[in-house]
Amino acid sequence: GTRNTEHGTRNTGAVGLTEGTMMQRLFLFLGVLMCSAAPGRGAGDLPLDGGEDGWSSAWRVQVDGVMGGRSSGSLEFLDSRSVLHFTGNINLNGGGFSSVRKSIRNPIDLSGYAGIVIDLVTTVAHNGATPPLGMHLQLHDSSSRYGYASAFSAPLSEFAGEETSVYLPMSSFDRGSRMGYQCSNCALNRRSINEMDVYVLFQEGNFDVKIKAIRAVGEQQVVPSPVLTISSNDEIRELIVSTISRGGSLYDYGYYELCISVYASTLNSMLAADSGVTGVLKGMICQGLSRASAQNNKGDKAWTLRYTMDGVLEHLGFLDSDDLSWRPLATSMSDLGYACEGVTSGESIATSTLSPSSKPSPAPSTPPSTTPTSKPSALPTVKPTTQAPTEPVPLSTYKHHHDDSGYNRHADFDR
């Protein structure tokens, strides 16, 4: 069907995966099986900083004070310079970012590399309600005034101090900007990289980041998510609501890539959970990740992941059903015909059979607006139930939900 909103008409009809896409994902499934642990340093890797040689002293802090902001940042090196420790506070009053950056005296040629791996040490134990922290790794080149960022999130972890990694394809460094202004017709010159920056942007409050190494790699990486233990449906609700509050705010600031990263990180953590997330919920998450992976428009990707989380909350009885937006079917992953692995980065969708019983629908034909319209609202006040429905919610029961509780609908405007 179609839906008319202030951002235009949005097509939500269901169309199946093509056979070509299914075959591509079959190969990705084999890749997931071969990459069952975080990637180690390969013979063809190029260390950019950190790692066995430790961190260089060329890093410095830059915060939004240069633009009148009030955010803070602090940098130190731990364990004989083996860990870069970046902490601070993001204040949205007049600014909203904190960064560490390193100039590279002799430009580096990264044109022969598939992407960049960031080796992280988790700093926060999963408490059920804290969402992933979204960040930018930004590269600069000697032929342009712009920096080119790729978004990633520090994945949720059951305990602080767990080592994990994220992989950023070189093609993902496509957000060109300078002093807050984006360019629409520029591209990173991968042959002449002369600066690296790590940014925390527009996520209010304290942050704590530990990085062991940044390295260029010659092959695509798929990194499994740390395993979480989720204790209840209430914990799922709190995690999703906090994720939407953070991701929706980033979306409204125009940082679609960060929004996507935060949303996808939470969904992948739920996929990787060893308890508390049913097979039906994992099947719904898998459908959403599959649909988003087939979409090219970043706004569409963000909304698909948002609709997936809405669908999970509706299935658990925390939200009224909405039949005017796309939702994943309440179907176990074993019945989908394709499978998903919880990952920190890389492709999470892997096809296991060529005869899926239900399929994600394609991207909408109308791109969403790129202009933020409102700030996120407060968390829901409606007390949730504690048990999941024993049967999937029939699609015929879905109704348009006009939410008066303050629930942040990405963020606080209805799609």
Side-chain angles (χ1 to χ4, degrees), residues 135-194:
M135 288 174 275
H136 273 171
L137 177 64
Q138 183 168 265
L139 302 179
H140 299 253
D141 61 51
S142 58
S143 59
S144 166
R145 296 183 300 168
Y146 294 101
Y148 299 87
S150 177
F152 68 97
S153 290
L156 301 175
S157 175
E158 196 65 24
F159 56 90
E162 184 170 0
E163 295 187 8
T164 185
S165 302
V166 294
Y167 166 74
L168 306 176
M170 292 306 300
S171 60
S172 68
F173 290 86
D174 62 353
R175 183 186 175 93
S177 64
R178 182 174 183 268
M179 300 295 290
Y181 295 95
Q182 282 188 260
C183 61
S184 58
N185 59 350
C186 56
L188 176 67
N189 178 2
R190 303 179 192 178
R191 296 182 179 277
S192 184
I193 306 301
N194 65 357

Side-chain angles (χ1 to χ4, degrees), residues 361-378:
S361 54
S365 57
T366 304
S369 165
T370 58
T371 304
T373 60
S374 61
K375 296 291 177 65
S377 58

Side-chain angles (χ1 to χ4, degrees), residues 147-289:
Y148 299 87
S150 177
F152 68 97
S153 290
L156 301 175
S157 175
E158 196 65 24
F159 56 90
E162 184 170 0
E163 295 187 8
T164 185
S165 302
V166 294
Y167 166 74
L168 306 176
M170 292 306 300
S171 60
S172 68
F173 290 86
D174 62 353
R175 183 186 175 93
S177 64
R178 182 174 183 268
M179 300 295 290
Y181 295 95
Q182 282 188 260
C183 61
S184 58
N185 59 350
C186 56
L188 176 67
N189 178 2
R190 303 179 192 178
R191 296 182 179 277
S192 184
I193 306 301
N194 65 357
E195 184 178 319
M196 289 189 297
D197 314 326
V198 177
Y199 272 88
V200 179
L201 300 120
F202 296 104
Q203 294 157 92
E204 190 169 20
N206 295 328
F207 65 87
D208 188 347
V209 178
K210 290 182 178 179
I211 305 176
K212 291 199 70 175
I214 302 175
R215 51 196 169 92
V217 295
E219 297 181 355
Q220 176 183 348
Q221 308 286 322
V222 179
V223 186
S225 290
V227 175
L228 292 186
T229 297
I230 294 178
S231 60
S232 68
N233 291 339
D234 286 338
E235 185 176 333
I236 292 174
R237 169 191 172 273
E238 291 300 323
L239 177 57
I240 288 179
V241 167
S242 65
T243 296
I244 289 173
S245 179
R246 173 164 288 179
S249 178
L250 289 166
Y251 183 97
D252 278 0
Y253 276 108
Y255 288 93
Y256 291 6
E257 301 89 349
L258 281 171
C259 174
I260 292 166
S261 175
V262 170
Y263 284 177
S265 185
T266 286
L267 291 171
N268 275 286
S269 290
M270 292 174 64
L271 274 182
D274 61 5
S275 64
V277 183
T278 66
V280 169
L281 292 182
K282 289 188 177 184
M284 296 173 73
I285 292 169
C286 186
Q287 291 171 65
L289 291 170

Side-chain angles (χ1 to χ4, degrees), residues 341-362:
E341 300 284 341
V343 297
T344 69
S345 52
E347 179 64 76
S348 60
I349 314 302
T351 302
S352 57
T353 163
L354 298 181
S355 301
S357 56
S358 60
K359 309 165 186 178
S361 54

Side-chain angles (χ1 to χ4, degrees), residues 56-77:
S56 75
S57 59
W59 291 86
R60 67 189 191 278
V61 174
Q62 182 169 313
V63 297
D64 55 15
V66 298
M67 302 172 66
R70 302 178 182 179
S71 298
S72 64
S74 178
L75 171 66
E76 63 178 339
F77 298 99

Side-chain angles (χ1 to χ4, degrees), residues 41 44 75 85 92 108 112 119 122 148 187 201 213 225 227 265 276 293 384 408 411:
R41 179 172 171 177
L75 171 66
H85 190 204
L92 300 182
I108 300 172
D119 297 319
T122 61
Y148 299 87
L201 300 120
S225 290
V227 175
S265 185
S293 72
N408 174 1

